[in-house]
């Protein structure tokens, strides 16, 4: 049975109408399988935060739904179960802060700037920008999520820069300064490529279905490095 079949079967067997009941049921179902349980917890949390972000903005566009599906490649015959979970999150009286705080506890070994939580923020940015613009309410939502995740302001701005459709600062994307020499920038770039390789996501418990975000992140890093390299050569 695939990861999504396990996840959605657990959702389908839940009698409660609150997302908290769904989360508890899933925790119980996967009690003997900690690796799958961690992936399930990650997936449920990001689905919940995606739904809460859509509610905060007030509008759910078709493009945002498509972006959501790009992240979560679930079987077509399970679409109703996924929609049920998403709608439960939107309707649940609990605020998004509660889900963000719950997700942050997954990273007990990270004091700040946790890579798993960065994966979550990347996923949320991917959905937010799907309609061509990250609205102010969405950005405030994401910034507050970053604060709950104990993400530094510099790190958050670096993540945000990767998702600017045009005019993004390549130095900010790589977390370097225009005053840095090129060998320093190159070392930083190679370090980020190694840190954010798709295989690294899988090794830290992020479902392989999240590969769209990893590929998008790598593309942003490559584009930033190439832009800086071209600028330095021209100079």
């Amino acid at each position: 049975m695939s990861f999504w079949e396990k996840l959605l079967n657990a959702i389908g067997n839940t009698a409660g109408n609150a997302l908290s009941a769904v989360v508890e049921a899933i925790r119980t179902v996967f009690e003997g399988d900690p690796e799958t349980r961690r992936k399930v917890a990650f997936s449920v949390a990001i689905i919940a935060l995606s739904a809460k972000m859509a509610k905060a903005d007030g509008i759910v566009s078709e493009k945002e739904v498509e972006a959501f599906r790009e992240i979560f490649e679930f079987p077509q015959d399970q679409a109703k179960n996924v929609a049920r979970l998403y709608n439960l999150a939107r309707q649940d009286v609990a605020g998004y802060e509660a889900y963000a705080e719950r997700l942050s506890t997954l990273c007990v070994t990270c004091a700040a700037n946790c890579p798993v939580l960065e994966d979550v923020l990347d996923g949320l940015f991917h959905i937010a920008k799907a309609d061509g613009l990250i609205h102010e309410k969405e950005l405030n939502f994401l910034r507050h999520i970053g604060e709950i995740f104990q993400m530094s302001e510099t790190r958050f701005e670096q993540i945000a820069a990767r998702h600017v459709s045009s005019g993004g600062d390549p130095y900010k994307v790589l977390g370097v300064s225009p005053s840095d020499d090129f060998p320093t920038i190159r070392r930083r770039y190679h370090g980020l490529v190694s840190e954010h390789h798709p295989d690294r996501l899988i090794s830290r418990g992020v479902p392989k279905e999240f590969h769209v975000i990893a590929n998008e992140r790598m593309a942003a890093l490559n584009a930033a490095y190439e832009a800086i390299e071209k600028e330095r050569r021209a100079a």
Side-chain angles (χ1 to χ4, degrees), residues 3 13 60 89 94 98 104 109 119 148 205 211 220:
F3 162 74
N13 292 330
V60 182
S104 68
T109 60
D119 296 336
I148 294 173
H211 67 89

Side-chain angles (χ1 to χ4, degrees), residues 30-148:
F30 297 107
E31 188 171 3
D33 187 354
E35 182 178 353
T36 300
R37 184 175 61 193
R38 184 178 179 183
K39 292 180 179 180
V40 168
F42 178 92
S43 299
V44 169
I46 195 170
I47 291 171
L49 291 175
S50 299
K52 292 293 186 182
M53 183 172 64
K55 186 174 182 180
D57 183 45
I59 301 173
V60 182
S61 70
E62 185 61 33
K63 289 184 178 179
E64 286 176 331
V65 175
E66 291 175 4
F68 180 83
R69 289 212 60 170
E70 287 173 359
I71 297 175
F72 292 99
E73 299 175 350
F74 50 82
Q76 185 58 41
D77 61 356
Q78 295 289 351
K80 288 184 178 180
N81 277 332
V82 175
R84 179 187 173 212
L85 175 56
Y86 189 84
N87 288 329
L88 282 176
R90 291 186 66 200
Q91 297 165 11
D92 202 331
V93 295
Y96 70 86
E97 296 90 348
Y99 295 108
E101 289 168 0
R102 176 173 295 183
L103 181 56
S104 68
T105 63
L106 291 177
C107 301
V108 294
T109 60
C110 302
N113 298 329
C114 174
V116 175
L117 300 181
E118 183 171 340
D119 296 336
V120 174
L121 274 174
D122 262 332
L124 294 174
F125 265 107
H126 178 78
I127 295 171
K129 71 180 182 183
D131 57 1
L133 176 68
I134 298 178
H135 300 278
E136 183 177 358
K137 288 183 179 179
E138 291 173 323
L139 186 59
N140 289 338
F141 175 95
L142 292 166
R143 191 177 299 278
H144 193 193
I145 293 292
E147 292 171 355
I148 294 173

